Amino acid sequence: MNADPKNGTPKTPLYIKVGDLKVEFHSGCCILDIGFPNTISVEIGEIHFKNYYTYALSLKARRRGDSSEPASEAKWKTCLRNMRLMPHPHFETGSQDYFTISRKQLSYDLCNVTGLRFILRQPSPIWKEFKIEDLKFCKTSETKPVSLPSWLLKPPRPIDEEDREIKGAPPMETLSNHLQQMWGLGEQAATNSTQNALGRFDVDGSYEINLLSYT
Amino acid sequence: MVKAVLAKVIENRPEDAVAFLADYFENFGDKPNKISQAHQQLVLTHHSRPAFEGNVRAAYDILSQFRVSKSLQGLNGVAYTELLQLICSGFPEDVKEKLMKKIGCRDNEVVPFNVFRAAIFTCFVLQDYIKQAEQLFHALDIQKTGTADKVLCETTLNQLFLAVSSSEHGIDTKTVLDAAYSLGPDRLYLALNKAVVSPARGSRGTTTCDEFVISAVDSFLLKVSPLT
């Protein structure tokens, strides 16, 4: 997975709190706008962030070339609808957890993004301050699916236990047992080997001319 | 002194504590030669136990006081080789030779701890491996004559060699599965059947235990990386 974290720069740290705080009305809703002014073509595979007492999150994105009008105001399309981060808004669970939004959870591909809008909601009056922190965007490439070996996909006809005897040879199970243990011991030797070099100069038993020095 | 030996018993947890204590006190009185002291540390417990790591460290510390010359002190190739020879004293000569080619150190080289540790582990794992190979040989030697059919031996070892060489470039789930499958009873039967029905030329005859073990060790040594 080529995760290339690039930090989308917020246009301004825009935590728009809807509603007038002076009147003691906490709307419980907060908008976080992310802009990508420096990069031209933005493709987002994954979004990582740390929650801070946000109950639910919706994500809208604005893509270039989405709307037919050439005007600069492209439409915001919801790509993640109401993802719940905390199971109970009044309680602490999930309030400071790390989350990852992967491609599978989004409604459409995030390519050519010009702007992202996180809509955070926290209806509980207990948590007056809420936000998401440590936003990171990653571009992931497809991992090559490892193919199963052919003998698993199309198992050959199993040989009956009675037929598996060879004249003059011990039962296959015993042999197999011993061989597998020996193989295991060999692997143990491999894991115990060290990369530490002794600092030898010779290559295959003889010295390399260039490494010998005149003193 | 009793405190020390009890601490050792708790750390190493031998199966037969009385025999362990008897051995310990017997060797305690011997002339303190650094090499035999280090060797004694290493045989206190089996290499798969976690206490073995501590014992390797203790052995290295003992050997670090080895006097090379009047002013020089430390673990050099001479002591290292002597210790390895002591550990491998039960092995067949050919095996010892092949092993030293891979992990031997020259007399004047300094042996750092990582190299020492890797070599000690290799020797002890090889000891277990040789025991396994001998048991395998006795399994193949059905009539208990001391020799086994060459075709069977060669084919069996060949299967092992194939399994070992396929996982040479690092281990992951797929290689483990492949190796386990190729060493399973079904595949073994197919390979042995094929070999018995149409043996390769020059494969008739019998093999002795030593020859068998020596060929088996080749597969093992594939996994041991040589020192640079």
Side-chain angles (χ1 to χ4, degrees), chain A residues 46-108:
Chain A
E46 279 184 356
I47 306 174
H48 302 264
F49 61 88
K50 179 173 187 293
N51 184 18
Y52 188 78
Y53 293 96
T54 309
Y55 171 64
L57 169 72
S58 292
L59 184 58
K60 288 194 199 278
R62 192 161 63 173
R63 283 196 301 189
R64 195 176 322 125
D66 235 3
S67 51
S68 47
E69 55 211 83
S72 54
E73 278 307 309
K75 270 178 31 173
W76 288 99
K77 262 183 83 172
T78 316
C79 60
L80 177 63
R81 192 184 296 278
N82 209 19
M83 171 174 156
R84 199 107 71 89
L85 304 176
M86 286 164 63
H88 304 284
H90 297 299
F91 302 143
E92 287 256 1
T93 18
S95 55
Q96 297 191 43
D97 281 353
Y98 290 86
F99 289 91
T100 305
I101 301 177
S102 62
R103 169 68 193 90
K104 288 196 276 260
Q105 294 164 286
L106 304 172
S107 326
Y108 55 85

Short mmCIF file of all heavy atoms in Angstrom, two decimals, chain A residues 46-108:
data_model
loop_
_atom_site.label_atom_id
_atom_site.label_comp_id
_atom_site.label_asym_id
_atom_site.label_seq_id
_atom_site.Cartn_x
_atom_site.Cartn_y
_atom_site.Cartn_z
N GLU A 46 -7.74 7.47 1.54
CA GLU A 46 -8.12 7.24 2.94
C GLU A 46 -8.03 8.54 3.70
O GLU A 46 -7.21 9.40 3.39
CB GLU A 46 -7.16 6.26 3.59
CG GLU A 46 -7.46 4.83 3.27
CD GLU A 46 -6.52 3.91 4.02
OE1 GLU A 46 -5.62 4.40 4.70
OE2 GLU A 46 -6.71 2.71 3.88
N ILE A 47 -8.86 8.65 4.75
CA ILE A 47 -8.77 9.82 5.61
C ILE A 47 -8.56 9.32 7.03
O ILE A 47 -9.35 8.51 7.54
CB ILE A 47 -10.06 10.66 5.56
CG1 ILE A 47 -10.38 11.02 4.11
CG2 ILE A 47 -9.93 11.90 6.40
CD1 ILE A 47 -11.70 11.72 3.95
N HIS A 48 -7.48 9.77 7.67
CA HIS A 48 -7.23 9.40 9.06
C HIS A 48 -7.43 10.62 9.95
O HIS A 48 -7.00 11.71 9.60
CB HIS A 48 -5.77 8.94 9.24
CG HIS A 48 -5.38 7.79 8.37
ND1 HIS A 48 -5.40 6.50 8.78
CD2 HIS A 48 -4.96 7.77 7.10
CE1 HIS A 48 -5.00 5.73 7.81
NE2 HIS A 48 -4.72 6.46 6.77
N PHE A 49 -8.07 10.43 11.09
CA PHE A 49 -8.15 11.56 12.01
C PHE A 49 -8.37 11.06 13.42
O PHE A 49 -8.70 9.90 13.67
CB PHE A 49 -9.28 12.52 11.60
CG PHE A 49 -10.65 11.89 11.61
CD1 PHE A 49 -11.43 11.88 12.75
CD2 PHE A 49 -11.16 11.32 10.46
CE1 PHE A 49 -12.68 11.30 12.76
CE2 PHE A 49 -12.42 10.74 10.45
CZ PHE A 49 -13.17 10.72 11.60
N LYS A 50 -8.20 12.01 14.35
CA LYS A 50 -8.46 11.69 15.75
C LYS A 50 -9.68 12.47 16.18
O LYS A 50 -9.78 13.67 15.97
CB LYS A 50 -7.24 12.11 16.59
CG LYS A 50 -7.43 11.83 18.07
CD LYS A 50 -6.11 12.12 18.81
CE LYS A 50 -6.16 11.72 20.24
NZ LYS A 50 -7.05 12.47 21.10
N ASN A 51 -10.57 11.74 16.80
CA ASN A 51 -11.82 12.37 17.21
C ASN A 51 -11.61 13.13 18.52
O ASN A 51 -10.76 12.77 19.34
CB ASN A 51 -12.87 11.27 17.41
CG ASN A 51 -14.23 11.84 17.74
OD1 ASN A 51 -14.47 13.02 17.51
ND2 ASN A 51 -15.11 11.01 18.26
N TYR A 52 -12.38 14.19 18.71
CA TYR A 52 -12.40 14.87 20.01
C TYR A 52 -13.83 15.21 20.31
O TYR A 52 -14.30 16.31 20.04
CB TYR A 52 -11.51 16.12 19.99
CG TYR A 52 -11.34 16.73 21.35
CD1 TYR A 52 -10.45 16.17 22.28
CD2 TYR A 52 -12.08 17.84 21.74
CE1 TYR A 52 -10.31 16.71 23.54
CE2 TYR A 52 -11.93 18.39 23.00
CZ TYR A 52 -11.05 17.82 23.90
OH TYR A 52 -10.91 18.35 25.16
N TYR A 53 -14.52 14.25 20.88
CA TYR A 53 -15.89 14.43 21.35
C TYR A 53 -16.91 14.79 20.27
O TYR A 53 -17.91 15.41 20.56
CB TYR A 53 -15.94 15.48 22.48
CG TYR A 53 -15.24 14.98 23.71
CD1 TYR A 53 -13.91 15.32 23.96
CD2 TYR A 53 -15.87 14.13 24.59
CE1 TYR A 53 -13.25 14.82 25.06
CE2 TYR A 53 -15.22 13.64 25.71
CZ TYR A 53 -13.90 13.99 25.93
OH TYR A 53 -13.25 13.50 27.02
N THR A 54 -16.62 14.36 19.04
CA THR A 54 -17.63 14.55 18.00
C THR A 54 -18.51 13.33 17.94
O THR A 54 -18.02 12.20 17.97
CB THR A 54 -16.95 14.75 16.62
OG1 THR A 54 -15.97 15.75 16.74
CG2 THR A 54 -17.96 15.12 15.58
N TYR A 55 -19.80 13.55 17.85
CA TYR A 55 -20.73 12.42 17.86
C TYR A 55 -20.86 11.78 16.48
O TYR A 55 -20.81 10.57 16.34
CB TYR A 55 -22.08 12.91 18.37
CG TYR A 55 -23.21 11.94 18.26
CD1 TYR A 55 -23.19 10.75 18.97
CD2 TYR A 55 -24.32 12.20 17.46
CE1 TYR A 55 -24.24 9.85 18.89
CE2 TYR A 55 -25.36 11.32 17.36
CZ TYR A 55 -25.32 10.15 18.09
OH TYR A 55 -26.37 9.26 18.01
N ALA A 56 -21.11 12.63 15.48
CA ALA A 56 -21.29 12.07 14.14
C ALA A 56 -20.63 12.98 13.12
O ALA A 56 -20.43 14.17 13.35
CB ALA A 56 -22.77 11.94 13.81
N LEU A 57 -20.30 12.39 11.99
CA LEU A 57 -19.56 13.13 10.98
C LEU A 57 -20.19 12.90 9.62
O LEU A 57 -20.53 11.78 9.27
CB LEU A 57 -18.12 12.61 10.99
CG LEU A 57 -17.20 13.01 9.86
CD1 LEU A 57 -16.84 14.46 10.00
CD2 LEU A 57 -15.94 12.17 9.92
N SER A 58 -20.37 13.97 8.88
CA SER A 58 -20.78 13.82 7.48
C SER A 58 -19.72 14.47 6.64
O SER A 58 -19.04 15.41 7.08
CB SER A 58 -22.11 14.55 7.21
OG SER A 58 -23.14 13.90 7.87
N LEU A 59 -19.58 13.99 5.45
CA LEU A 59 -18.51 14.51 4.62
C LEU A 59 -19.06 14.89 3.27
O LEU A 59 -19.70 14.08 2.59
CB LEU A 59 -17.43 13.44 4.48
CG LEU A 59 -16.18 13.80 3.74
CD1 LEU A 59 -15.51 14.97 4.38
CD2 LEU A 59 -15.24 12.61 3.76
N LYS A 60 -18.83 16.13 2.88
CA LYS A 60 -19.22 16.55 1.54
C LYS A 60 -17.96 16.91 0.79
O LYS A 60 -17.02 17.46 1.36
CB LYS A 60 -20.13 17.78 1.63
CG LYS A 60 -21.52 17.50 2.15
CD LYS A 60 -22.40 18.71 1.87
CE LYS A 60 -23.63 18.73 2.72
NZ LYS A 60 -24.71 17.89 2.24
N ALA A 61 -18.00 16.65 -0.49
CA ALA A 61 -16.83 16.98 -1.30
C ALA A 61 -17.26 17.72 -2.54
O ALA A 61 -18.38 17.55 -3.05
CB ALA A 61 -16.08 15.70 -1.67
N ARG A 62 -16.36 18.51 -3.02
CA ARG A 62 -16.62 19.29 -4.22
C ARG A 62 -15.56 18.88 -5.23
O ARG A 62 -14.37 18.97 -4.96
CB ARG A 62 -16.46 20.76 -3.87
CG ARG A 62 -16.97 21.70 -4.91
CD ARG A 62 -17.22 23.04 -4.35
NE ARG A 62 -16.01 23.67 -3.85
CZ ARG A 62 -15.98 24.92 -3.42
NH1 ARG A 62 -17.08 25.63 -3.42
NH2 ARG A 62 -14.87 25.44 -2.96
N ARG A 63 -16.05 18.41 -6.35
CA ARG A 63 -15.09 17.90 -7.35
C ARG A 63 -15.04 18.83 -8.53
O ARG A 63 -16.06 19.43 -8.90
CB ARG A 63 -15.50 16.51 -7.81
CG ARG A 63 -15.16 15.45 -6.81
CD ARG A 63 -15.21 14.10 -7.43
NE ARG A 63 -16.53 13.80 -7.97
CZ ARG A 63 -16.85 12.59 -8.42
NH1 ARG A 63 -15.97 11.62 -8.37
NH2 ARG A 63 -18.04 12.37 -8.91
N ARG A 64 -13.90 18.88 -9.13
CA ARG A 64 -13.80 19.67 -10.35
C ARG A 64 -14.43 18.89 -11.47
O ARG A 64 -14.23 17.69 -11.59
CB ARG A 64 -12.32 19.92 -10.67
CG ARG A 64 -12.16 21.03 -11.69
CD ARG A 64 -10.71 21.36 -11.95
NE ARG A 64 -9.92 21.30 -10.75
CZ ARG A 64 -8.84 20.55 -10.64
NH1 ARG A 64 -8.44 19.82 -11.65
NH2 ARG A 64 -8.16 20.54 -9.52
N GLY A 65 -15.19 19.59 -12.31
CA GLY A 65 -15.81 18.91 -13.45
C GLY A 65 -17.09 18.20 -13.08
O GLY A 65 -17.63 17.43 -13.87
N ASP A 66 -17.55 18.42 -11.85
CA ASP A 66 -18.80 17.75 -11.45
C ASP A 66 -20.00 18.38 -12.11
O ASP A 66 -20.83 17.73 -12.71
CB ASP A 66 -18.95 17.87 -9.92
CG ASP A 66 -19.11 16.51 -9.29
OD1 ASP A 66 -19.04 15.52 -10.04
OD2 ASP A 66 -19.31 16.44 -8.09
N SER A 67 -20.11 19.67 -11.91
CA SER A 67 -21.28 20.35 -12.46
C SER A 67 -20.98 20.84 -13.86
O SER A 67 -19.85 21.12 -14.22
CB SER A 67 -21.67 21.52 -11.57
OG SER A 67 -20.52 22.30 -11.35
N SER A 68 -22.02 20.98 -14.60
CA SER A 68 -21.82 21.34 -16.01
C SER A 68 -21.52 22.83 -16.15
O SER A 68 -20.92 23.25 -17.12
CB SER A 68 -23.07 20.98 -16.81
OG SER A 68 -24.22 21.43 -16.12
N GLU A 69 -21.95 23.63 -15.16
CA GLU A 69 -21.72 25.07 -15.33
C GLU A 69 -20.24 25.39 -15.11
O GLU A 69 -19.58 24.83 -14.26
CB GLU A 69 -22.59 25.84 -14.35
CG GLU A 69 -22.35 25.39 -12.92
CD GLU A 69 -23.59 25.52 -12.07
OE1 GLU A 69 -24.44 24.61 -12.12
OE2 GLU A 69 -23.66 26.52 -11.37
N PRO A 70 -19.73 26.30 -15.86
CA PRO A 70 -18.32 26.64 -15.74
C PRO A 70 -18.05 27.56 -14.54
O PRO A 70 -16.90 27.93 -14.30
CB PRO A 70 -17.99 27.37 -17.05
CG PRO A 70 -19.32 27.91 -17.49
CD PRO A 70 -20.37 26.99 -16.99
N ALA A 71 -19.07 27.90 -13.79
CA ALA A 71 -18.88 28.82 -12.66
C ALA A 71 -17.99 28.18 -11.60
O ALA A 71 -17.88 26.97 -11.51
CB ALA A 71 -20.24 29.20 -12.07
N SER A 72 -17.43 29.02 -10.79
CA SER A 72 -16.47 28.52 -9.80
C SER A 72 -17.16 27.78 -8.68
O SER A 72 -16.56 26.97 -7.99
CB SER A 72 -15.67 29.69 -9.22
OG SER A 72 -16.58 30.65 -8.71
N GLU A 73 -18.47 28.05 -8.48
CA GLU A 73 -19.15 27.40 -7.38
C GLU A 73 -19.61 26.02 -7.81
O GLU A 73 -20.70 25.83 -8.31
CB GLU A 73 -20.38 28.23 -6.96
CG GLU A 73 -20.04 29.39 -6.04
CD GLU A 73 -19.25 28.94 -4.82
OE1 GLU A 73 -19.70 27.98 -4.14
OE2 GLU A 73 -18.19 29.52 -4.57
N ALA A 74 -18.79 25.02 -7.61
CA ALA A 74 -19.22 23.66 -7.90
C ALA A 74 -20.07 23.17 -6.74
O ALA A 74 -20.02 23.69 -5.64
CB ALA A 74 -18.00 22.76 -8.06
N LYS A 75 -20.87 22.16 -7.00
CA LYS A 75 -21.80 21.73 -5.97
C LYS A 75 -21.11 20.83 -4.96
O LYS A 75 -20.22 20.06 -5.30
CB LYS A 75 -22.95 20.99 -6.63
CG LYS A 75 -24.05 21.94 -6.99
CD LYS A 75 -25.24 21.36 -7.70
CE LYS A 75 -25.58 19.96 -7.37
NZ LYS A 75 -26.85 19.60 -8.00
N TRP A 76 -21.60 20.89 -3.74
CA TRP A 76 -21.11 20.00 -2.71
C TRP A 76 -21.92 18.71 -2.77
O TRP A 76 -23.12 18.74 -2.70
CB TRP A 76 -21.30 20.62 -1.33
CG TRP A 76 -20.40 21.75 -1.04
CD1 TRP A 76 -20.68 23.07 -1.13
CD2 TRP A 76 -19.04 21.65 -0.61
NE1 TRP A 76 -19.60 23.83 -0.78
CE2 TRP A 76 -18.58 22.98 -0.46
CE3 TRP A 76 -18.17 20.60 -0.33
CZ2 TRP A 76 -17.29 23.26 -0.03
CZ3 TRP A 76 -16.90 20.89 0.08
CH2 TRP A 76 -16.46 22.21 0.22
N LYS A 77 -21.24 17.60 -2.87
CA LYS A 77 -21.95 16.32 -2.90
C LYS A 77 -21.58 15.53 -1.66
O LYS A 77 -20.40 15.49 -1.27
CB LYS A 77 -21.54 15.52 -4.14
CG LYS A 77 -22.51 15.64 -5.29
CD LYS A 77 -22.08 14.77 -6.44
CE LYS A 77 -22.54 13.34 -6.25
NZ LYS A 77 -22.30 12.52 -7.42
N THR A 78 -22.59 14.93 -1.07
CA THR A 78 -22.31 14.15 0.14
C THR A 78 -21.63 12.85 -0.24
O THR A 78 -22.14 12.09 -1.06
CB THR A 78 -23.61 13.79 0.86
OG1 THR A 78 -24.42 14.95 0.88
CG2 THR A 78 -23.33 13.34 2.27
N CYS A 79 -20.51 12.61 0.34
CA CYS A 79 -19.90 11.32 0.06
C CYS A 79 -19.89 10.41 1.29
O CYS A 79 -19.68 9.21 1.19
CB CYS A 79 -18.48 11.48 -0.48
SG CYS A 79 -17.39 12.32 0.65
N LEU A 80 -20.13 10.96 2.46
CA LEU A 80 -20.23 10.11 3.65
C LEU A 80 -21.36 10.67 4.48
O LEU A 80 -21.30 11.80 4.95
CB LEU A 80 -18.92 10.13 4.44
CG LEU A 80 -18.91 9.33 5.74
CD1 LEU A 80 -19.12 7.87 5.46
CD2 LEU A 80 -17.59 9.53 6.44
N ARG A 81 -22.39 9.87 4.65
CA ARG A 81 -23.57 10.41 5.33
C ARG A 81 -23.59 9.93 6.77
O ARG A 81 -23.72 8.75 7.04
CB ARG A 81 -24.83 9.93 4.61
CG ARG A 81 -26.10 10.63 5.02
CD ARG A 81 -27.29 10.00 4.30
NE ARG A 81 -27.20 10.19 2.86
CZ ARG A 81 -27.57 11.32 2.24
NH1 ARG A 81 -28.07 12.31 2.91
NH2 ARG A 81 -27.42 11.43 0.94
N ASN A 82 -23.44 10.87 7.68
CA ASN A 82 -23.71 10.63 9.10
C ASN A 82 -22.99 9.39 9.66
O ASN A 82 -23.60 8.44 10.13
CB ASN A 82 -25.22 10.44 9.30
CG ASN A 82 -25.63 10.88 10.67
OD1 ASN A 82 -24.91 11.62 11.33
ND2 ASN A 82 -26.78 10.43 11.14
N MET A 83 -21.68 9.46 9.65
CA MET A 83 -20.91 8.34 10.21
C MET A 83 -20.81 8.55 11.72
O MET A 83 -20.32 9.57 12.18
CB MET A 83 -19.53 8.33 9.58
CG MET A 83 -18.60 7.35 10.25
SD MET A 83 -17.10 7.29 9.31
CE MET A 83 -15.97 6.73 10.52
N ARG A 84 -21.29 7.60 12.50
CA ARG A 84 -21.32 7.75 13.95
C ARG A 84 -19.96 7.42 14.54
O ARG A 84 -19.40 6.35 14.33
CB ARG A 84 -22.36 6.79 14.52
CG ARG A 84 -22.83 7.15 15.91
CD ARG A 84 -24.21 7.71 15.90
NE ARG A 84 -25.15 6.65 15.60
CZ ARG A 84 -25.70 5.89 16.56
NH1 ARG A 84 -25.42 6.10 17.80
NH2 ARG A 84 -26.51 4.94 16.21
N LEU A 85 -19.41 8.36 15.29
CA LEU A 85 -18.10 8.14 15.89
C LEU A 85 -18.22 7.72 17.34
O LEU A 85 -17.41 6.98 17.87
CB LEU A 85 -17.26 9.43 15.81
CG LEU A 85 -17.07 10.00 14.41
CD1 LEU A 85 -16.32 11.30 14.49
CD2 LEU A 85 -16.33 9.04 13.53
N MET A 86 -19.25 8.22 18.02
CA MET A 86 -19.45 7.86 19.42
C MET A 86 -20.77 7.12 19.53
O MET A 86 -21.79 7.61 19.07
CB MET A 86 -19.52 9.13 20.29
CG MET A 86 -18.18 9.81 20.50
SD MET A 86 -18.32 11.49 21.12
CE MET A 86 -19.08 11.25 22.69
N PRO A 87 -20.79 5.96 20.17
CA PRO A 87 -22.07 5.24 20.27
C PRO A 87 -23.10 5.97 21.11
O PRO A 87 -24.29 5.91 20.83
CB PRO A 87 -21.68 3.89 20.89
CG PRO A 87 -20.32 4.05 21.40
CD PRO A 87 -19.67 5.18 20.71
N HIS A 88 -22.67 6.66 22.16
CA HIS A 88 -23.61 7.43 22.99
C HIS A 88 -23.09 8.85 23.09
O HIS A 88 -21.98 9.06 23.55
CB HIS A 88 -23.69 6.85 24.39
CG HIS A 88 -24.05 5.41 24.40
ND1 HIS A 88 -25.33 4.98 24.19
CD2 HIS A 88 -23.31 4.30 24.58
CE1 HIS A 88 -25.35 3.66 24.25
NE2 HIS A 88 -24.15 3.22 24.48
N PRO A 89 -23.88 9.82 22.71
CA PRO A 89 -23.35 11.19 22.68
C PRO A 89 -23.01 11.74 24.05
O PRO A 89 -22.15 12.59 24.18
CB PRO A 89 -24.46 12.00 22.03
CG PRO A 89 -25.69 11.17 22.17
CD PRO A 89 -25.25 9.75 22.19
N HIS A 90 -23.68 11.23 25.11
CA HIS A 90 -23.40 11.79 26.43
C HIS A 90 -22.18 11.16 27.07
O HIS A 90 -21.60 11.72 27.97
CB HIS A 90 -24.59 11.57 27.37
CG HIS A 90 -25.83 12.26 26.92
ND1 HIS A 90 -25.90 13.63 26.79
CD2 HIS A 90 -27.05 11.79 26.56
CE1 HIS A 90 -27.12 13.95 26.38
NE2 HIS A 90 -27.83 12.86 26.23
N PHE A 91 -21.82 9.95 26.64
CA PHE A 91 -20.75 9.21 27.31
C PHE A 91 -19.43 9.33 26.56
O PHE A 91 -19.37 9.75 25.43
CB PHE A 91 -21.12 7.73 27.47
CG PHE A 91 -22.38 7.53 28.23
CD1 PHE A 91 -23.25 6.52 27.90
CD2 PHE A 91 -22.71 8.37 29.29
CE1 PHE A 91 -24.42 6.32 28.61
CE2 PHE A 91 -23.87 8.19 29.99
CZ PHE A 91 -24.74 7.16 29.66
N GLU A 92 -18.41 8.89 27.26
CA GLU A 92 -17.05 9.09 26.76
C GLU A 92 -16.63 8.16 25.65
O GLU A 92 -15.65 8.43 24.96
CB GLU A 92 -16.05 8.89 27.90
CG GLU A 92 -16.04 9.99 28.90
CD GLU A 92 -14.83 10.88 28.72
OE1 GLU A 92 -14.01 10.63 27.81
OE2 GLU A 92 -14.69 11.82 29.48
N THR A 93 -17.29 7.02 25.48
CA THR A 93 -16.77 6.01 24.54
C THR A 93 -16.61 6.59 23.14
O THR A 93 -17.51 7.21 22.60
CB THR A 93 -17.71 4.80 24.40
OG1 THR A 93 -18.99 5.19 24.89
CG2 THR A 93 -17.20 3.62 25.15
N GLY A 94 -15.46 6.35 22.60
CA GLY A 94 -15.20 6.80 21.23
C GLY A 94 -14.89 8.26 21.13
O GLY A 94 -14.70 8.78 20.04
N SER A 95 -14.82 8.95 22.27
CA SER A 95 -14.68 10.40 22.17
C SER A 95 -13.28 10.80 21.74
O SER A 95 -13.10 11.86 21.16
CB SER A 95 -15.00 11.04 23.51
OG SER A 95 -14.20 10.46 24.51
N GLN A 96 -12.29 9.98 22.02
CA GLN A 96 -10.93 10.37 21.61
C GLN A 96 -10.26 9.29 20.79
O GLN A 96 -9.07 9.12 20.83
CB GLN A 96 -10.10 10.67 22.86
CG GLN A 96 -10.67 11.85 23.61
CD GLN A 96 -9.75 12.36 24.70
OE1 GLN A 96 -8.56 12.48 24.50
NE2 GLN A 96 -10.33 12.65 25.84
N ASP A 97 -11.05 8.57 20.02
CA ASP A 97 -10.52 7.46 19.24
C ASP A 97 -9.96 7.93 17.91
O ASP A 97 -10.29 9.00 17.42
CB ASP A 97 -11.63 6.44 18.94
CG ASP A 97 -11.89 5.55 20.14
OD1 ASP A 97 -11.14 5.64 21.11
OD2 ASP A 97 -12.85 4.76 20.06
N TYR A 98 -9.16 7.06 17.33
CA TYR A 98 -8.61 7.33 16.00
C TYR A 98 -9.49 6.63 14.97
O TYR A 98 -9.86 5.49 15.16
CB TYR A 98 -7.18 6.78 15.89
CG TYR A 98 -6.18 7.53 16.71
CD1 TYR A 98 -5.98 7.22 18.04
CD2 TYR A 98 -5.46 8.58 16.15
CE1 TYR A 98 -5.07 7.93 18.79
CE2 TYR A 98 -4.55 9.29 16.91
CZ TYR A 98 -4.36 8.96 18.23
OH TYR A 98 -3.47 9.67 18.97
N PHE A 99 -9.81 7.31 13.91
CA PHE A 99 -10.67 6.71 12.89
C PHE A 99 -9.99 6.77 11.53
O PHE A 99 -9.17 7.65 11.26
CB PHE A 99 -12.00 7.47 12.80
CG PHE A 99 -12.88 7.24 13.99
CD1 PHE A 99 -12.82 8.07 15.09
CD2 PHE A 99 -13.77 6.18 14.00
CE1 PHE A 99 -13.63 7.86 16.19
CE2 PHE A 99 -14.58 5.97 15.09
CZ PHE A 99 -14.52 6.81 16.20
N THR A 100 -10.40 5.83 10.71
CA THR A 100 -9.95 5.85 9.32
C THR A 100 -11.17 5.69 8.43
O THR A 100 -11.96 4.77 8.63
CB THR A 100 -8.99 4.68 9.04
OG1 THR A 100 -7.94 4.73 9.98
CG2 THR A 100 -8.43 4.78 7.66
N ILE A 101 -11.29 6.57 7.47
CA ILE A 101 -12.38 6.44 6.49
C ILE A 101 -11.74 5.93 5.22
O ILE A 101 -10.86 6.58 4.63
CB ILE A 101 -13.05 7.79 6.23
CG1 ILE A 101 -13.61 8.35 7.54
CG2 ILE A 101 -14.19 7.62 5.23
CD1 ILE A 101 -14.23 9.70 7.39
N SER A 102 -12.15 4.76 4.80
CA SER A 102 -11.55 4.19 3.60
C SER A 102 -12.49 4.37 2.42
O SER A 102 -13.63 4.78 2.57
CB SER A 102 -11.27 2.71 3.82
OG SER A 102 -12.47 2.03 4.07
N ARG A 103 -11.98 4.02 1.27
CA ARG A 103 -12.73 4.21 0.04
C ARG A 103 -14.07 3.49 0.07
O ARG A 103 -15.07 3.94 -0.49
CB ARG A 103 -11.85 3.71 -1.11
CG ARG A 103 -12.52 3.58 -2.45
CD ARG A 103 -12.89 4.91 -3.03
NE ARG A 103 -13.79 4.75 -4.15
CZ ARG A 103 -15.11 4.72 -4.04
NH1 ARG A 103 -15.68 4.84 -2.85
NH2 ARG A 103 -15.87 4.57 -5.10
N LYS A 104 -14.09 2.33 0.76
CA LYS A 104 -15.31 1.51 0.76
C LYS A 104 -16.47 2.22 1.43
O LYS A 104 -17.63 1.95 1.14
CB LYS A 104 -15.04 0.20 1.50
CG LYS A 104 -14.15 -0.75 0.71
CD LYS A 104 -14.22 -2.15 1.26
CE LYS A 104 -13.28 -2.32 2.42
NZ LYS A 104 -12.03 -2.97 2.12
N GLN A 105 -16.16 3.16 2.37
CA GLN A 105 -17.25 3.80 3.09
C GLN A 105 -17.79 5.02 2.35
O GLN A 105 -18.80 5.58 2.74
CB GLN A 105 -16.75 4.23 4.48
CG GLN A 105 -16.40 3.04 5.34
CD GLN A 105 -15.56 3.45 6.54
OE1 GLN A 105 -14.39 3.75 6.40
NE2 GLN A 105 -16.17 3.50 7.69
N LEU A 106 -17.11 5.44 1.32
CA LEU A 106 -17.54 6.64 0.61
C LEU A 106 -18.45 6.28 -0.54
O LEU A 106 -18.33 5.22 -1.14
CB LEU A 106 -16.32 7.40 0.10
CG LEU A 106 -15.29 7.78 1.15
CD1 LEU A 106 -14.07 8.35 0.49
CD2 LEU A 106 -15.88 8.78 2.12
N SER A 107 -19.35 7.25 -0.86
CA SER A 107 -20.31 6.96 -1.93
C SER A 107 -19.67 7.01 -3.30
O SER A 107 -20.15 6.39 -4.23
CB SER A 107 -21.47 7.95 -1.91
OG SER A 107 -21.76 8.32 -0.61
N TYR A 108 -18.63 7.80 -3.44
CA TYR A 108 -18.00 7.86 -4.76
C TYR A 108 -16.51 8.16 -4.62
O TYR A 108 -16.04 8.53 -3.55
CB TYR A 108 -18.68 8.91 -5.65
CG TYR A 108 -18.73 10.30 -5.05
CD1 TYR A 108 -17.66 11.17 -5.17
CD2 TYR A 108 -19.86 10.73 -4.39
CE1 TYR A 108 -17.70 12.43 -4.61
CE2 TYR A 108 -19.91 11.99 -3.83
CZ TYR A 108 -18.84 12.83 -3.95
OH TYR A 108 -18.88 14.08 -3.40
#
